[in-house]
Structures are given as structure tokens and as C-alpha cells.
Amino acid sequence: MHIETLRWEGDRPGHVQMVEQTLLPLEHVEIAVRTVPEMVDAIYRLAVRGAPAIGVSAAYGVLLGIQEDAGMEAGALVAKVGEVCDTLAAARPTAVNLFWALNRMRAKAEKDHAGGANGEGIVSGLFEEAHAIFHGDRDTCRRMGEIGAELIHDGDTLLTHCNAGALATAGMGTALAPMYVAKEQGKTIHVFADETRPLLQGARITAFELMHAGIDVTLITDGMAARVMFEGKVDAVFVGSDRIARNGDVCNKIGTYSVALAAQAHDVPFYVVAPLSTVDPSLDSGDLIPIEERAPEEITEGFGKRTAPEGVKVYSPAFDITPARLITGIITEVGLIEQPTMAKMEDALRRGGVDLSGIETA
Ligand code: MRU
């Protein structure tokens, strides 16, 4: 059984219960999130993090903003849904699942309004949509896990960066899902987890999650990834993503690009596991992906201890781009995209039912 990252608690009115991930691994506790500002804060603080989990949280955040407004005039309610979506969209800039989920919620309200729904109809439609996003994420994770597990052999040692596990989704994770399915299939696997500077999602969250699941995990610092590959200890790399451009360039946690370069240098297959909701069809290159910059204190005094001189200059991009040419394959819910190109990405998007009209395709 995987750790449950978040859930909607109660019916209407209800609230969100989520694991407070900033306290892991020392404390495994849940917090209640009851308002839109609380949800924005939870996303910004990384109480909930990981692209798919951010998307699901945003969808539930919309419910927090409108659940008491069923008596409102329908047009005014749709306008309020738009405002709530704009507020939630400002929480973090890079993970496209946030905007994907908000666009679904906005579109649902508009469609129901256009279809003649009153305030009550729009609110109940939004509840259905948010729960569909939650359950869709769970199903997608499992599907990616099944596809990815075919690439894992009994006895393999895998390497992962950041946390793209259950705690980054509503389900069993993205990059870690193939590992969980491989374990279910009786394969024995070992995992190197990069620590993932500066916020240590690998040390705090991935190591915790894999140990909890009974998977053999060894923690290394980010700088050791190339070394363990040089030593011939890694059979494949599995990472998640926050946004994938239409040409297959992958944005993920800072340090992923270095892992991909090291993997190429040592002939280690480099796989990205991500749902189609992480693909941004509007961007034809990774260069166009907005990269979040985090506060300098996360580096100079992370976890409350100053480790750099007072006044030092700091640059802190939270994500980087791995070019498509370094990627062996992208595992999505519609299958494995080997050596991704724009044409292959567009084909997968079409198979996943994504509307590419209005986009100048390859
Ligand atoms: O800053 P975070 O912790 O939200 O970054 C998370 C990552 O980079 C994950 O690898 C990515 O979101 C994929 S999660 C399934």
C-alpha cells in the first residue's frame, strides 16, 4: 500500500487532507487545507509538491474557493471560478499540471454554464471534475508503472533524482511507479536515490517512500551519481518531469540534466516517466519553459542552519531542461516514446486525445 499524499475529506462543504511533506522524514503527519490562500501556501511551501500532486491540489483548491457558492447567479459564479483559478495559478510557475488542471476546471464551469446549468449545477459539476482529475491521476500512474516495469529486469539497480513517487502524485507515482510494479511482479530491484540539493526531496521523501514500500534504496549525494555510473552500478535511470515541450525536451528538478549527461557518457538508459498532462503542447522547445527561482535562504540556510557566508550571492533555479537527444524514452500512459522527437510526441498526444488544433505541428 502506497502512502496517500492527499484526499478530499467530507462531502460539501469539505476540505483537503494532505501529508505535510516539509516535515518528512522526521514527522509523517497530515494537515487540513480549508481555503484557497492555504492551498496556495501549501503548494508554494512544498507541503504538497510534484507535478501531478500539484495539479490535483489545484483542482481541489478550486472547490475550496466555490463550494459555498451554489446559490450564486451562474455567470457570477463562473467569473469567481476564473478568479480562484488565477489565484491558484500563481502558486508555482513550472509544473504544467497546475495549469492543465485549472484549465480543466475553468472549462468545465464554462461548459456547464453554456449548457444552462444554475449555480448548484456548476458547483456539483466542478466536484465531479476535481474527483475525476484525482482518480485519473491514480489510473495513469498505474498504467505508466505497468509500461515502465517491462523495462526493468530482475536484479536491476536503478537511479532516480528528486521524488517522483507516490508522494508526488495522487497514485503510485511516475518514475517510481515502474519500480513498484516490478516489485509486485516479484522482481528484486535496488535503487540509488540522489539526495537532490537544496531541498533534499530525494533524501527526505524518496528514501522514506521506498523504505516504507520495502524497496532496497541507497542514498547518494547528487555529485555521486556520475561516480556510481562510472563504477558500472546503474542499469537505468528513471526520473519524472514537471513539463515536457512538444519536441521532447524535459524539464525536471535541478540536477536532472547532469544525471542525463552522466548517463549518456556511461551508456546507461535514461527514462522519463510522465503523464500526458505534463506535456505542454503549446511549447515547441524546452527553452520556452519557465523555470522557477527559489529563495536564496533555501541554499544558504537550508533547514535552519547557515552554511554559507552572510551576504554571498546566490542563484537558485529549481529546475533544468534535459534535451530530447539525451533521453532514451518517455513513458506515458499511452506507451513508451522511444528517442522522442516532435513527430513522435505529437503522435502520442493525439493517441491520448489531446486537441492539437491551433498548433503548428511537425
Ligand atoms: O520542487 P518539487 O519537489 O515540486 O519538484 C518535483 C520534481 O521535480 C519531480 O521530479 C516532478 O514534479 C515529477 S513528479 C511525479
Side-chain angles (χ1 to χ4, degrees):
M1 190 61 188
H2 308 287
I3 295 169
E4 190 180 42
T5 305
L6 79 165
R7 66 181 177 280
W8 183 262
E9 189 82 13
D11 190 8
R12 273 175 57 186
H15 70 276
V16 178
Q17 281 290 124
M18 60 169 67
V19 175
E20 170 56 85
Q21 296 194 34
T22 64
L23 299 179
L24 288 172
L26 299 180
E27 289 177 57
H28 181 187
V29 293
E30 287 188 348
I31 54 169
V33 178
R34 298 177 189 280
T35 66
V36 174
E38 281 176 17
M39 184 58 88
V40 171
D41 184 57
I43 295 172
Y44 179 73
R45 288 189 304 107
L46 313 192
V48 64
R49 28 72 46 208
I54 292 172
V56 174
S57 300
Y60 282 153
V62 174
L63 302 186
L64 295 175
I66 54 85
Q67 61 180 339
E68 311 270 17
D69 296 326
M72 217 183 229
E73 186 275 317
L77 177 56
V78 173
K80 183 165 182 194
V81 169
E83 283 161 27
V84 170
C85 287
D86 290 346
T87 304
L88 288 159
R92 290 188 80 187
T94 301
V96 77
N97 305 60
L98 172 66
F99 312 104
W100 171 87
L102 292 173
N103 286 343
R104 264 183 70 163
M105 295 297 280
R106 215 188 296 253
K108 174 72 177 157
E110 284 166 5
K111 187 169 164 237
D112 286 351
H113 180 222
N118 61 10
E120 171 55 34
I122 292 171
V123 170
S124 50
L126 287 170
F127 267 77
E128 274 167 32
E129 191 71 0
H131 290 315
I133 290 171
F134 174 90
H135 289 291
D137 187 48
R138 293 171 73 89
D139 296 346
T140 299
C141 288
R142 156 113 351 231
R143 185 75 200 115
M144 292 187 296
E146 286 163 357
I147 296 167
E150 289 171 24
L151 303 164
I152 299 177
H153 308 102
D154 189 31
D156 272 358
T157 296
L158 311 169
L159 184 143
T160 192
H161 189 77
C162 194
N163 174 267
L167 280 157
T169 67
M172 67 191 326
T174 59
L176 301 194
M179 304 179 193
Y180 291 134
V181 174
K183 183 171 189 291
E184 285 172 12
Q185 293 169 343
K187 295 172 190 163
T188 300
I189 56 165
H190 313 274
V191 180
F192 281 113
D194 286 354
E195 176 186 46
T196 316
R197 288 278 297 151
L199 294 179
L200 309 186
Q201 287 92 334
R204 294 188 303 104
I205 305 175
T206 298
F208 170 80
E209 183 181 323
L210 289 176
M211 288 174 78
H212 185 270
I215 291 182
D216 183 56
V217 56
T218 302
L219 180 63
I220 56 173
T221 67
D222 299 357
M224 295 171 191
R227 177 65 200 172
V228 292
M229 290 187 216
F230 177 84
E231 290 173 358
K233 290 182 174 156
V234 180
D235 296 296
V237 174
F238 283 77
V239 296
S241 173
D242 290 85
R243 197 184 295 220
I244 302 177
R246 211 170 73 256
N247 68 345
D249 289 350
V250 165
C251 177
N252 192 44
K253 178 56 56 191
I254 192 75
T256 303
Y257 176 40
S258 315
V259 175
L261 287 168
Q264 188 196 42
H266 296 92
D267 278 328
V268 173
F270 182 92
Y271 293 107
V272 176
V273 190
L276 291 179
S277 56
T278 297
V279 182
D280 185 342
S282 72
L283 302 183
D284 58 19
S285 157
D287 299 349
L288 300 168
I289 297 175
I291 305 281
E292 176 180 17
E293 277 190 44
R294 301 284 300 181
E297 295 74 31
E298 290 182 353
I299 294 180
T300 57
E301 47 195 292
F303 306 99
K305 182 170 168 60
R306 177 157 276 280
T307 51
E310 206 70 66
V312 70
K313 284 190 283 182
V314 171
Y315 175 50
S316 184
F319 299 94
D320 58 26
I321 310 293
T322 298
R325 67 184 158 76
L326 296 178
I327 297 168
T328 310
I330 299 178
I331 296 158
T332 72
E333 66 272 36
V334 296
L336 168 67
I337 307 165
E338 279 179 282
Q339 290 163 329
T341 60
M342 194 174 284
K344 291 183 194 176
M345 293 297 297
E346 288 171 358
D347 177 55
L349 287 164
R350 284 194 191 94
R351 280 186 285 120
V354 178
D355 180 12
L356 295 180
S357 58
I359 289 172
E360 221 174 285
T361 51

